[in-house]
Amino acid sequence: MNKSGVLNIPSDVSEIKVQNYINGQWCPPTTNKYLSGWNPTTGQQSYAIPDSNNVDVDNAVRAAKSAFPMWSTTSPEERAAILNRIADLIDQYADELAVIESQDQGKTVFSARTADLPLCSGYFRQFAKCVVEGFVEAKSRMNAPCTPVAVTQVENSVLQSTTQHIPSGVAALITPWNFPMLMICEKLAPCIAVGNTCVVKPTEITSATPYLLTLILQAAGLPKGVANFVFGTGVNAGEPLVKHKDIRLVSFTGGCVTGAKIGAMAGGLLKRVSLELGGKNPSLVFNDCKLEHAVATHIRAAFQNQGEICLSASRQYVQSDIYDKFVKMFREMTLKEVRVGDPSNSKTYYGPMVSQQHMEKVLSYIRLAQQEGAKVEFLVNPNDATIKNVAKDGRLTVNGMEGGYFIAPTLITGVKQNSRVMQEEIFGPVVCILPFETEEEAVMLANDTQYGLGSSVFTQDKARLDRVMKQLNSGSVWGNSWMNWDDNMPFGGLGCSGTSREHGPWSLEFYTETKAMYNLSSR
């Protein structure tokens, strides 16, 4: 923040110098080593990211531990006031933050500005209100330090039973690259709202807006040590953070393999852990659906945010008697409406993959589908003059952005249910559409996965909708929609999609400890 009270948010990601934020101060990594951040639109190196290690982690945890006694005893009203100031600053600088988020992650500026950033500020306002007023579902638990549970008579005495929800201590918050700032706010807001302190370890792939968030936290008056940020890799910074003896709980969002390792490390040290992992999400489209609405929704569910959403509907099953019509409409509507290219252009539907490594991963699945004999179509409008070339595996060359990590909207049909393309999370603009005959087969196909994060059902038959939704093994199920959000509802997955639940009152349950107290008094 400069002398006039204005935050110095740069207009280009290359102008950012990311530093760790520990005990209210920005500092270089103790090793003085840095990683390279890349602009996915150009494929050029754009900025440097600290390659922090266990020493930096220990410094951050010690700062959080020292701040805990003060912050945990700060009144809910004072904590709420700071959270509301954080929200106000996010809104004030949303235009600038959206540009940096796009340059760092590849998502469109429009998406970052209209979807991600309003949610970021919304989380802080939601939990500021919650710790003062309480959720409707949780008022008896959260709107007072001690809440009565029961009063029972014991001989000539009265036993009063109460529960107290108290902050847990120092939390580790480890976040992914697909929603760099949003996922931090989703965890940070409830964590500090209830009185915890924390160390945030953002992904090293997209560290720009997480760093800018530290500027906002300080400008909002968050006391030093309450939220500390350590940047770096999972091996050098994430693992020491999870294993640190003073970390009481761990919240992680990311891939299944990494999540399993973190779960094993944290669980073995008796730390509370929440894991929100990947998904291979099915959607079932029955022959009585509103077809045009279903097609439009499934295009969005396949390609929004480059398909880099854990809830993307990458497995779409359509009843056989409308299958050909659905696929035809899907193809035609995608060719007409989904434009790939410059994420700063308001007409662009989605931008590049987040990194070259991730682009190669996505392309490898496309090549696998081709090798297995599936029908693979790249839905690029031939009249789009911005597309210079479409490679055999779907990589796009965009005029003026030849080094960018772009992939065509990819439609795969004729693929087998047991193919890795159908069973593994691709996390890109790749969708498989298969037919089914009966309701029983649809449910079987949908549940034939190691994942269980989200699913959707499209039908106008209310009885069928209720029946099928109840049979799907997913943490979230949508009827005739996709990813319509209610942040007071629990969010989490089954199987390889994770453990625990967060959002709304479930976040407050995760970030607090419950104490039972019994008071025996004479009548």
Side-chain angles (χ1 to χ4, degrees):
M1 179 176 289
N2 62 30
K3 292 181 181 180
S4 62
V6 177
L7 290 178
N8 294 313
I9 306 293
S11 59
D12 192 279
V13 70
S14 64
E15 300 171 18
I16 292 176
K17 184 178 181 181
V18 176
Q19 298 284 275
N20 290 332
Y21 183 65
I22 298 174
N23 204 32
Q25 299 291 325
W26 291 278
C27 54
T30 54
T31 61
N32 206 32
K33 294 181 179 178
Y34 288 83
L35 306 164
S36 294
W38 300 82
N39 185 327
T41 301
T42 64
Q44 298 296 312
Q45 183 175 342
S46 54
Y47 67 106
I49 303 157
D51 186 8
S52 304
N53 64 10
N54 62 305
V55 177
D56 302 294
V57 168
D58 186 60
N59 290 338
V61 175
R62 284 193 288 110
K65 185 178 180 181
S66 296
F68 178 73
M70 172 276 300
W71 184 246
S72 61
T73 55
T74 300
S75 72
E77 289 77 14
E78 290 178 82
R79 295 199 299 264
I82 293 174
L83 265 64
N84 280 322
R85 288 199 293 272
I86 294 170
D88 290 342
L89 286 168
I90 291 172
D91 287 343
Q92 182 179 342
Y93 293 97
D95 290 341
E96 295 90 338
L97 291 167
V99 170
I100 299 299
E101 191 80 307
S102 174
Q103 293 174 358
D104 198 26
Q105 200 277 333
K107 67 178 65 199
T108 64
V109 173
F110 177 82
S111 175
R113 180 64 185 86
T114 61
D116 295 17
L117 286 160
L119 284 171
C120 288
S121 58
Y123 282 125
F124 285 100
R125 290 198 178 94
Q126 178 190 24
F127 288 101
K129 182 178 180 181
C130 154
V131 293
V132 175
E133 300 180 9
F135 282 96
V136 172
E137 300 90 339
K139 275 189 176 180
S140 64
R141 304 194 298 273
M142 301 309 304
N143 69 345
C146 296
T147 56
V149 174
V151 176
T152 54
Q153 295 184 12
V154 181
E155 296 179 351
N156 293 321
S157 301
V158 173
L159 178 66
Q160 183 179 24
S161 306
T162 62
T163 60
Q164 182 187 21
H165 285 250
I166 59 175
S168 298
V170 182
L173 311 180
I174 305 175
T175 57
W177 49 254
N178 56 332
F179 293 96
M181 186 164 167
L182 174 58
M183 296 307 300
I184 293 176
C185 295
E186 179 188 74
K187 298 176 187 296
L188 181 61
C191 178
I192 64 175
V194 299
N196 295 311
T197 58
C198 64
V199 177
V200 181
K201 208 297 283 183
T203 172
E204 70 277 16
I205 297 174
T206 51
S207 296
T209 53
Y211 166 73
L212 295 177
L213 180 58
T214 67
L215 307 183
I216 289 174
L217 298 179
Q218 187 174 87
L222 187 69
K224 66 179 184 180
V226 173
N228 306 273
F229 284 60
V230 176
F231 296 89
T233 66
V235 172
N236 291 341
E239 187 171 334
L241 179 60
V242 172
K243 290 181 174 179
H244 198 286
K245 63 182 179 62
D246 291 324
I247 291 293
R248 297 294 300 274
L249 68 166
V250 179
S251 177
F252 169 81
T253 298
C256 186
V257 174
T258 303
K261 292 179 181 177
I262 288 176
M265 283 189 288
L269 296 169
L270 302 180
K271 302 175 189 287
R272 184 183 298 186
V273 62
S274 175
L275 304 173
E276 193 272 283
L277 309 178
K280 190 70 176 177
N281 309 292
S283 187
L284 306 180
V285 183
F286 288 89
N287 57 12
D288 64 340
C289 71
K290 294 182 178 179
L291 189 57
E292 188 171 346
H293 164 71
V295 171
T297 303
H298 282 78
I299 290 172
R300 184 168 63 92
F303 302 130
Q304 185 171 310
N305 206 63
Q306 304 84 244
E308 294 170 337
I309 302 178
C310 58
L311 286 163
S312 290
S314 55
R315 292 189 296 138
Q316 301 180 6
Y317 300 97
V318 182
Q319 200 152 24
S320 57
D321 49 353
I322 62 166
Y323 177 80
D324 290 340
K325 187 175 183 180
F326 180 96
V327 172
K328 182 174 183 291
M329 290 178 66
F330 187 101
R331 181 186 300 113
E332 292 173 350
M333 198 177 296
T334 300
L335 286 167
K336 180 181 178 181
E337 298 182 4
V338 178
R339 178 178 177 178
V340 183
D342 181 1
S344 67
N345 188 325
S346 61
K347 295 181 180 179
T348 298
Y349 196 93
Y350 71 78
M353 299 293 96
V354 71
S355 67
Q356 182 172 4
Q357 181 182 15
H358 185 62
M359 177 188 68
E360 293 297 339
K361 173 196 168 185
V362 175
L363 293 175
S364 73
Y365 281 101
I366 295 174
R367 291 191 288 266
L368 175 61
Q370 292 170 328
Q371 293 164 9
E372 292 179 344
K375 182 179 181 180
V376 179
E377 302 176 67
F378 304 123
L379 305 182
V380 178
N381 191 322
N383 297 319
D384 188 347
T386 65
I387 302 301
K388 192 173 182 179
N389 182 61
V390 182
K392 291 181 179 180
D393 58 5
R395 181 172 183 180
L396 298 181
T397 304
V398 178
N399 280 321
M401 302 173 185
E402 285 79 3
Y405 311 134
F406 297 95
I407 295 179
T410 303
L411 168 62
I412 300 176
T413 54
V415 64
K416 294 181 180 180
Q417 174 71 10
N418 63 357
S419 168
R420 287 176 50 221
V421 178
M422 287 292 293
Q423 294 295 325
E424 298 176 9
E425 184 178 39
I426 298 175
F427 220 60
V430 180
V431 61
C432 301
I433 307 180
L434 273 67
F436 69 86
E437 296 292 338
T438 65
E439 178 181 315
E440 292 73 20
E441 183 189 12
V443 172
M444 182 272 293
L445 290 170
N447 288 336
D448 179 25
T449 176
Q450 62 180 329
Y451 296 100
L453 192 59
S455 56
S456 297
V457 183
F458 287 74
T459 177
Q460 295 188 72
D461 184 331
K462 292 182 179 179
R464 172 193 281 160
L465 183 64
D466 180 69
R467 188 170 59 244
V468 173
M469 288 178 72
K470 289 178 178 177
Q471 294 179 74
L472 295 179
N473 297 330
S474 302
S476 299
V477 186
W478 284 274
N480 295 308
S481 64
W482 172 76
M483 231 172 80
N484 291 78
W485 214 247
D486 180 348
D487 283 317
N488 287 322
M489 291 287 284
F491 179 64
L494 312 177
C496 279
S497 291
T499 64
S500 191
R501 296 293 181 269
E502 294 192 44
H503 285 190
W506 284 267
S507 285
L508 298 185
E509 293 287 353
F510 174 72
Y511 288 108
T512 58
E513 303 286 352
T514 306
K515 179 165 56 177
M517 298 185 293
Y518 306 93
N519 182 16
L520 185 64
S521 59
S522 301
R523 296 186 65 182

